Amino acid sequence: MINNTSLDTLKPHQRATVTSLLGDGEIIQRFEDLGIIPGTEIVCLMISPLGDPAAYLIRDALIAIRREDAAKIGVCYGTDV
């Protein structure tokens, strides 16, 4: 079963694959500069105690992303990913 959701819903240690990017040109360019493009595998490593931001492993780099921005990154995860 594949689950489609946004990056901000991942729990620590969950792995997902980017499927889409939402937002204006500036935020999409920022995502692309960080290596976040469709097909990229992302692992949620930890979430701060207050829930924002969260740390993700993206292309062997640890990157903190605010919940507001993570909600603009579509991902899928599950047994078929």
Side-chain angles (χ1 to χ4, degrees), residues 27-74:
I27 192 70
I28 289 178
Q29 183 63 51
R30 179 172 170 251
F31 293 150
E32 291 173 347
D33 290 345
L34 292 171
I36 303 170
I37 58 174
T40 300
E41 186 175 270
I42 296 180
V43 179
C44 179
L45 292 183
M46 62 187 92
I47 299 174
S48 72
L50 297 178
D52 198 21
Y56 300 94
L57 184 62
I58 303 169
R59 299 182 183 266
D60 295 326
L62 182 62
I63 299 174
I65 301 176
R66 294 178 297 177
R67 180 179 296 239
E68 175 185 344
D69 293 335
K72 297 175 183 174
I73 301 172

